[in-house]
Amino acid sequence: MDILEKIPSRREVIESFKSTGGKIAAVYPYHYHRALFRAFDILPVEVWGPPGIDTTYGSSYLQPYVCSVVHSGLSFYLSGGLDVVDFIVVPHACDSLQGLGSVYIDFVKPKQPVFTIYIPRGRKDLDVEFLSKEFESIFNRLKELTGKSVTEDKLMEEILKEEEALKKVRELYSKREQISLSDYHFYRVVRSREYLPAEKFMEIADHLLENFSDGTEREGVPVIFSGLLPEPMEILEKLEEIDGRIVADDFACCGRRLYGEGKSNNPFVRMAESILNSPPDSSRGATVDERVEHLSSLVKKYGARGVVFYIVKFCEMELFYIPHMMRGLKERGIPSVYIEVDINDPLPDQTITRLEAFVEVL
Amino acid sequence: MKLIDTIKYRLTVDVAGRAFLRYERFLNARRLKNARFKSENLAPPLRISAWTKELISLHYFRGRYVEGHQPVAYVTSGGPVEILKALGYYVIYPENHAALAGARHAQMELIQSAEEFGFSQDICSYVRTDLGTALTGKTPVGKLPKPDLLLACTNICQTVLHWYRVLQKIFNVPLVVIDTPFVYTEAPPHAVEYVKKQLENELIPVAERVAGRTLKEKKFKEVVKYSKDATELWLEILNMGRHIPTPISIFDQFIHMAPIVEMRGDKVTVDFYYAMLKEVKERVKKGIGSVKNEKKRVLWDNLPVWYKLSRLAAELADRGVSMPISTYTYAWGELAPLIDIERGMESMARVYLYPILNRGTGHKLEVMRQMVKDFKLDGVILHSDRSCKPYSIGQVPQRNKLMEEFGIPALLLEADHNDERAFSEEQVASRIASFLEMMEVA
């Protein structure tokens, strides 16, 4: 059976969740804690674009030099794509998402309540303290809005459930080489966590681990991808066609969210500890050295032969790191290539040619 | 700090440099008496310009000899500089340096160097200008000292966070990040507490260690007082633009804002703005406008287009259009009431949380609405600055609201504050012409 048949679509999940009385929160990229919403029977469904939609709607609020993820995200709302959701959540990851949150609150003024979450850029106790209070204030607002008296015990229960789901994602990554699935299929599974309830995701992940781990080694030149997201997802099929394969990633939607577990018994602190214990990434202002070290360790651990920086055009936070990271990797004998994409455009031939040339050299 | 460097600094800067620059100021002041701008319709530059030039020249001249004499910090323009000033730091603002390079048309070579190193054309042009200097050592001011400390405050953009990470990589010195959560509507108490604790527990200890000194409360309060006084004076100067005709334009403001950004916390800055206010008041008294025969008054939103300042000023003046105020220059004055010397770090935390760039798009619209009313404006130019997303996002609906509510024309002008390649001469000329037509001054 094709694993994709096991994965319900976003629409199916939303309809099914709402039919049981649950509510939906549309969540923009990219750091937040799912348990905070699940405790109120709200399912977070992430909005990464979506790619390939008509962005002219967004142009009535945003300039053309704002990245396609944000442009599409707003256009999707304005074209009615988010009519079904009950809440809108905009975490603060960059100037463009900051602007999006602000434009939502001040000008778009959607019928749904808008939540913003400021994610601190540090990892110290002070940062954990701030983020825990940020989560607590959202929790209190959700209490008011939903009228539900959710206890901290209930919240902790949801946190533990999400931690289990996260463990499952880790297991998928660690056993990636034994899972006989194309990258396209694998990322469809991993990215289904962007909208599936933890329990459903774990069911699919278990099915995958039981039925698709036949011990056959994957073939192709092993590479690591770094960037926001693998869109258009056609890139993964193209990579396979040119004999490449992804062995690990530093994608904002995937690898950068392999959070560590929190330790505190206070649910807000525990969520904050977890989110801030993520791999080093651009949105949180990691140092260049931390990011080089992280990518190098992934290369070593998974036997990759090179790194592909797959960057969404106008994504300033990613662009800043490229020159020094490419040099840093080169000094460690790791080749890398930089490719720029717009998630709304079809994959250009030039991109495929560059990727092909890179994989051939490796 | 080394004694030999201090002696060298004292002799070169305090004795020879100051004397030379004072003499040059005297000559410039004489020249200014008969000065004319490019356009016959622009008022001559303010007499204070000679002092501005002296201050800026001295500032960068000090930078050439300061290493070994004083600790050096690179700071973002919205950074809590008072703490560093009280600890005796010499402070460089890479954004100001980049702006200065842009105004002198020296930025493109630096931008090119940064791009050759691999920095994308899609990152802020201030950054590319500054990194061009950091990577090559080239600068229109002769030489920039190497920093001992980097201080990035995210209250103007997230760009500075990444920019300073790159500087940290290049200079290998400590970086303190003051993370100021974006204020969508009001800053919650935990955000104020968060910033306050960062100032107390992170910035002060690191800055003290690097400087080898302890922060003295008396000195700190003195610096904060100078900062507050200068900020209040700057605000008062800007508010003089409410007079008709406006005695100063945004072009004057862009030139004379350097001290409020670069020399905030110094006594000389207070003296300077006191003198500037006096001169502007004189203009009001004499009925001298920044533009001869002022017909229309226009608001400028966002950063200036540094490399086209004088041309834009002349073109608009020739049509009797003055620009009395901008949201950008106002940003360095509007926080004056929040500075409370007695409330120490909590007051600082609020001040550094609330700059216009750290507040929502609705707040900026409100600021512009108020300006349209208070400064009796007939139109708005919103510079859609490719290099500054936090300032530019929101301009499309802001423009629409202003046009709808006040029935005035509002132009969204696509350009870039420092990268000349993003400035299309023809397109800008035709858009400005249409805008002026709408104001009936074409």
Side-chain angles (χ1 to χ4, degrees):
Chain A
M1 181 190 178
D2 188 335
I3 187 71
L4 297 187
E5 288 173 24
K6 294 282 289 181
I7 307 174
S9 69
R10 272 179 161 78
R11 183 183 297 272
E12 287 166 343
V13 171
I14 290 170
E15 280 171 4
S16 146
F17 199 83
K18 290 202 99 164
S19 69
T20 60
K23 294 193 181 297
I24 305 293
V27 185
Y28 284 90
Y30 55 92
H31 292 303
Y32 69 104
H33 206 293
R34 299 179 70 83
L36 191 56
F37 299 93
R38 288 303 309 275
F40 290 88
D41 200 22
I42 299 167
L43 179 69
V45 174
E46 297 177 15
V47 184
W48 289 84
I53 67 162
D54 180 1
T55 55
T56 49
Y57 291 97
S59 303
S60 51
Y61 290 92
L62 302 169
Q63 285 95 332
Y65 47 80
V66 173
C67 83
S68 48
V69 174
V70 171
H71 242 288
S72 302
L74 182 57
S75 297
F76 191 49
Y77 169 83
L78 295 169
S79 61
L82 295 180
D83 285 354
V84 70
V85 311
D86 305 283
F87 304 93
I88 292 171
V89 182
V90 191
H92 190 297
C94 61
D95 289 327
S96 297
L97 281 161
Q98 166 188 298
L100 177 69
S102 196
V103 163
Y104 257 125
I105 292 168
D106 296 325
F107 296 107
V108 178
K109 296 181 179 168
K111 63 176 195 269
Q112 302 95 332
V114 177
F115 288 81
T116 58
I117 308 174
Y118 189 81
I119 308 294
R121 273 44 182 171
R123 292 168 185 269
K124 301 191 183 88
D125 291 347
L126 201 60
D127 305 302
V128 171
E129 184 188 329
F130 170 80
L131 186 56
S132 66
K133 287 183 179 165
E134 190 81 343
F135 284 151
E136 194 171 353
S137 77
I138 292 171
F139 181 81
N140 290 334
R141 194 171 160 213
L142 281 169
K143 262 185 172 178
E144 276 175 32
L145 287 169
T146 60
K148 289 184 177 172
S149 54
V150 173
T151 63
E152 291 189 9
D153 286 345
K154 165 72 177 158
L155 177 58
M156 187 58 100
E157 203 180 290
E158 292 298 331
I159 292 170
L160 297 176
K161 206 188 284 176
E162 293 298 333
E163 285 178 359
E164 282 305 307
L166 193 58
K167 270 186 199 159
K168 207 54 84 180
V169 182
R170 287 185 180 285
E171 193 179 347
L172 289 176
Y173 269 98
S174 67
K175 293 181 175 167
R176 172 71 189 106
E177 286 306 288
Q178 283 77 50
I179 297 173
S180 52
L181 271 187
S182 69
D183 281 329
Y184 177 81
H185 285 73
F186 180 77
Y187 278 97
R188 283 288 304 273
V189 174
V190 171
R191 293 193 64 195
S192 68
R193 185 157 157 69
E194 291 168 14
Y195 61 94
L196 286 180
E199 51 279 15
K200 180 68 183 168
F201 175 79
M202 284 193 284
E203 189 189 305
I204 291 170
D206 282 335
H207 174 82
L208 179 61
L209 288 163
E210 279 163 26
N211 298 290
F212 290 82
S213 305
D214 60 5
T216 316
E217 290 286 316
R218 295 169 68 214
E219 290 181 352
V221 178
V223 293
I224 284 168
F225 264 56
S226 174
L228 289 184
L229 72 172
E231 293 283 2
M233 281 190 84
E234 186 193 351
I235 186 72
L236 302 174
E237 292 168 321
K238 293 291 176 192
L239 179 68
E240 195 171 3
E241 280 172 25
I242 57 179
D243 200 27
R245 72 181 207 271
I246 299 180
V247 288
D249 74 70
D250 174 46
F251 281 130
C253 65
C254 303
R256 291 183 197 170
R257 298 198 294 179
L258 292 173
Y259 304 113
E261 280 175 20
K263 292 189 170 44
S264 174
N265 290 325
N266 175 308
F268 303 110
V269 176
R270 192 181 181 100
M271 287 190 291
E273 285 172 339
S274 173
I275 295 296
L276 297 187
N277 189 11
S278 56
D281 83 79
S282 53
S283 78
R284 303 219 12 261
T287 66
V288 175
D289 290 346
E290 282 168 348
R291 293 199 63 205
V292 170
E293 185 55 44
H294 175 62
L295 284 179
S296 304
S297 69
L298 287 179
V299 166
K300 198 171 165 190
K301 185 174 174 185
Y302 294 100
R305 286 195 223 155
V307 175
V308 178
F309 290 103
Y310 190 72
I311 308 298
V312 173
K313 185 160 175 62
F314 299 123
C315 182
E316 200 181 47
M317 65 180 184
E318 296 290 310
L319 292 170
F320 262 104
Y321 286 88
I322 299 297
H324 281 106
M325 282 183 65
M326 290 181 81
R327 280 174 174 78
L329 291 172
K330 194 176 175 189
E331 281 164 16
R332 293 165 187 237
I334 304 166
S336 60
V337 68
Y338 164 69
I339 290 172
E340 197 169 80
V341 288
D342 183 315
I343 66 163
N344 283 313
D345 291 343
L347 206 54
D349 288 343
Q350 196 191 1
T351 300
I352 300 161
T353 311
R354 284 197 75 191
L355 192 60
E356 190 169 13
F358 182 66
V359 170
E360 264 176 30
V361 169
L362 297 178
Chain B
M1 300 296 110
K2 293 177 194 159
L3 182 62
I4 187 77
D5 290 324
T6 295
I7 294 169
K8 194 172 151 192
Y9 177 87
R10 293 280 179 223
L11 289 174
T12 321
V13 177
D14 288 343
V15 180
R18 274 182 199 276
F20 173 76
L21 290 170
R22 182 58 57 91
Y23 177 65
E24 199 183 52
R25 175 176 154 193
F26 168 74
L27 294 179
N28 283 333
R30 276 213 319 199
R31 254 181 246 129
L32 278 170
K33 280 187 181 168
N34 302 312
R36 284 281 176 272
F37 264 178
K38 281 181 184 173
S39 160
E40 282 303 308
N41 295 305
L42 268 177
L46 291 160
R47 293 192 310 275
I48 199 83
S49 303
W51 194 355
T52 311
K53 195 173 177 204
E54 183 197 9
L55 282 178
I56 296 169
S57 301
L58 184 62
H59 178 70
Y60 284 109
F61 188 67
R62 287 178 63 204
R64 294 193 198 190
Y65 300 95
V66 78
E67 284 178 66
H69 167 65
Q70 264 178 284
V72 176
Y74 283 13
V75 186
T76 54
S77 62
V81 69
E82 290 80 3
I83 291 166
L84 300 184
K85 288 271 170 138
L87 280 165
Y89 277 86
Y90 169 81
V91 178
I92 283 281
Y93 293 82
E95 294 148 69
N96 270 50
H97 170 257
L100 185 146
R104 293 190 189 175
H105 298 273
Q107 84 283 27
M108 292 312 295
E109 187 190 347
L110 300 171
I111 285 175
Q112 195 71 36
S113 301
E115 289 175 6
E116 278 165 15
F117 189 82
F119 289 102
S120 164
Q121 205 171 321
D122 290 330
I123 66 171
C124 167
S125 54
Y126 271 173
V127 183
R128 281 176 284 144
T129 306
D130 174 58
L131 292 181
T133 293
L135 292 165
T136 65
K138 291 180 186 169
T139 161
V141 299
K143 181 198 164 200
L144 285 187
K146 289 200 167 51
D148 300 299
L149 176 72
L150 300 166
L151 170 59
C153 185
T154 60
N155 60 2
I156 49 170
C157 56
Q158 292 302 309
T159 299
V160 297
L161 175 67
H162 308 299
W163 179 356
Y164 277 62
R165 284 294 184 213
V166 174
L167 289 176
Q168 182 186 29
K169 178 74 186 161
I170 293 171
F171 292 113
N172 195 25
V173 293
L175 162 63
V176 177
V177 175
I178 299 298
D179 191 5
T180 48
F182 187 73
V183 180
Y184 291 92
T185 48
E186 283 296 316
H190 64 271
V192 178
E193 191 61 16
Y194 179 50
V195 176
K196 178 174 170 261
K197 283 184 177 171
Q198 289 177 77
L199 296 173
E200 289 171 341
N201 305 343
E202 294 184 8
L203 175 58
I204 294 175
V206 176
E208 284 183 332
R209 179 170 52 78
V210 173
R213 289 175 202 171
T214 307
L215 185 69
K216 300 278 191 297
E217 195 185 345
K218 193 179 162 198
K219 179 70 183 164
F220 175 64
K221 282 188 172 176
E222 180 189 273
V223 172
V224 174
K225 183 170 184 332
Y226 289 145
S227 196
K228 183 177 172 65
D229 290 349
T231 308
E232 282 173 347
L233 285 165
W234 177 243
L235 186 62
E236 202 178 339
I237 290 166
L238 299 186
N239 282 331
M240 299 302 285
R242 296 175 187 211
H243 288 274
I244 297 176
T246 177
I248 53 163
S249 71
I250 57 158
F251 303 103
D252 300 311
Q253 295 162 25
F254 290 147
I255 292 164
H256 300 295
M257 70 185 289
I260 196 63
V261 184
E262 276 182 343
M263 296 156 214
R264 211 163 58 238
D266 293 346
K267 184 177 179 304
V268 68
T269 310
V270 180
D271 298 339
F272 170 80
Y273 284 118
Y274 184 78
M276 184 173 172
L277 178 63
K278 201 174 154 198
E279 188 183 348
V280 174
K281 280 183 174 171
E282 266 175 43
R283 276 196 169 186
V284 173
K285 210 171 163 186
K286 292 178 184 168
I288 301 172
S290 67
V291 165
K292 282 183 196 165
N293 305 317
E294 180 184 276
K295 291 178 196 155
K296 298 284 178 183
R297 298 157 62 84
V298 171
L299 166 67
W300 178 273
D301 177 50
N302 214 328
L303 278 76
V305 184
W306 288 108
Y307 48 91
K308 293 287 177 194
L309 268 189
S310 57
R311 206 195 90 179
L312 279 172
E315 277 184 14
L316 294 170
D318 286 344
R319 288 162 179 80
V321 176
S322 73
M323 302 199 78
I325 194 64
S326 83
T327 54
Y328 181 65
T329 49
Y330 212 74
W332 271 272
E334 65 183 349
L335 297 176
L338 284 180
I339 305 173
D340 183 342
I341 297 156
E342 296 310 317
R343 291 182 73 190
M345 290 303 158
E346 198 203 316
S347 153
M348 298 294 288
R350 285 186 190 281
V351 168
Y352 286 102
L353 263 168
Y354 276 105
I356 193 168
L357 268 167
N358 204 44
R359 303 191 66 178
T361 45
H363 171 73
K364 196 171 82 171
L365 173 64
E366 193 46 47
V367 168
M368 289 196 280
R369 274 180 182 139
Q370 205 55 48
M371 285 177 169
V372 170
K373 290 182 208 159
D374 293 344
F375 289 78
K376 299 177 185 66
L377 304 171
D378 306 293
V380 182
I381 297 179
L382 302 101
H383 169 204
S384 173
D385 187 349
R386 201 173 182 279
S387 268
C388 191
K389 292 190 184 83
Y391 216 136
S392 304
I393 294 179
Q395 283 180 320
V396 181
Q398 283 160 358
R399 177 198 57 181
N400 296 343
K401 285 274 178 196
L402 290 170
M403 285 167 63
E404 184 187 305
E405 289 174 20
F406 294 98
I408 54 174
L411 168 70
L412 200 64
L413 190 72
E414 297 283 343
D416 185 290
H417 55 247
N418 242 29
D419 190 339
E420 296 191 28
R421 292 166 300 183
F423 188 91
S424 163
E425 294 279 354
E426 283 177 18
Q427 198 183 39
V428 169
S430 104
R431 301 215 66 199
I432 287 187
S434 316
F435 174 69
L436 295 175
E437 243 172 62
M438 288 170 81
M439 286 205 307
E440 297 166 349
V441 287

